[in-house]
Amino acid sequence: VPQIVDFGKAAELAQEDLTNGNIDKVRRLRDKLWTGLQEQLDELYLNGSEAHRLPNNLNVSFAYVEGEAMMMGIKDIACSSGSACTSASLEPSYVLRAMGVDVELAHTSIRFGIGRFTTEEEIDFALALIVKKVNWLRSMSPLYEMAQEGIDLKSIQWTAH
């Protein structure tokens, strides 16, 4: 019985979010983050449909930036690498893999959650920090440098040592 009461309260709060415009606010903040990232970074990929997605979720791959290194650089932001299903694992998200995201890009993905209490200032802070850390990590990446020089990394024959 208590769970039924809790479920009813959850449904009531969800309805309240719908009628108070919170979903539109969250969607606007998500889109602001995505647009800001696109304007300031290259080699950036949206994971999932641009049109058909949850308003509070943004999953992005930052090519040439290892997701776990990125997570260490942006500790002040609530986010995770990969999907919620594999957030405790170093394996790339099987959801992203099933969507056709290649292994390299799946390893660079970060999932941002935006809630009804997220502010415009927090999005601005997150945007500035993410851009700074991506640029810093890429500055140390020989792969990013090679890609910028036009080298097709998939054509390189890597040897094991």
Side-chain angles (χ1 to χ4, degrees):
V1 174
Q3 291 169 335
I4 293 171
V5 172
D6 290 344
F7 180 75
K9 184 62 175 177
E12 181 184 321
L13 291 172
Q15 180 64 35
E16 198 176 293
D17 264 0
L18 287 172
T19 56
N20 289 339
N22 287 327
I23 289 178
D24 291 336
K25 173 198 167 208
V26 168
R27 181 180 291 116
R28 184 180 50 75
L29 291 174
R30 179 207 59 201
D31 292 346
K32 177 180 179 169
L33 180 59
W34 174 236
T35 300
L37 291 171
Q38 287 179 295
E39 289 171 351
Q40 298 180 57
L41 295 169
D42 63 347
E43 298 291 343
L44 184 72
Y45 302 91
L46 178 66
N47 296 314
S49 168
E50 192 161 359
H52 306 287
R53 63 184 317 105
L54 294 172
N56 66 328
N57 183 288
L58 181 64
N59 190 307
V60 180
S61 288
F62 301 90
Y64 313 107
V65 174
E66 183 61 39
E68 293 304 313
M70 183 68 174
M71 291 290 297
M72 295 300 292
I74 59 173
K75 290 180 190 176
D76 294 334
I77 300 172
C79 60
S80 66
S81 59
S83 69
C85 307
T86 58
S87 61
S89 167
L90 291 177
E91 291 299 312
S93 164
Y94 67 87
V95 174
L96 294 179
R97 295 291 296 126
M99 290 170 35
V101 177
D102 70 29
V103 174
E104 291 83 11
L105 276 181
H107 272 294
T108 72
S109 71
I110 302 289
R111 180 173 44 89
F112 302 97
I114 298 162
R116 65 180 173 182
F117 299 114
T118 304
T119 66
E120 191 101 20
E121 292 76 21
E122 289 169 327
I123 294 296
D124 292 338
F125 172 82
L127 183 57
L129 183 60
I130 294 164
V131 168
K132 178 181 175 183
K133 294 302 178 177
V134 167
N135 287 330
W136 179 70
L137 289 165
R138 285 180 176 170
S139 74
M140 297 182 290
S141 170
L143 296 178
Y144 181 68
E145 185 178 329
M146 292 167 71
Q148 295 301 297
E149 293 172 1
I151 297 170
D152 179 10
L153 298 178
K154 296 198 184 293
S155 69
I156 296 174
Q157 296 293 319
W158 302 100
T159 59
H161 292 277

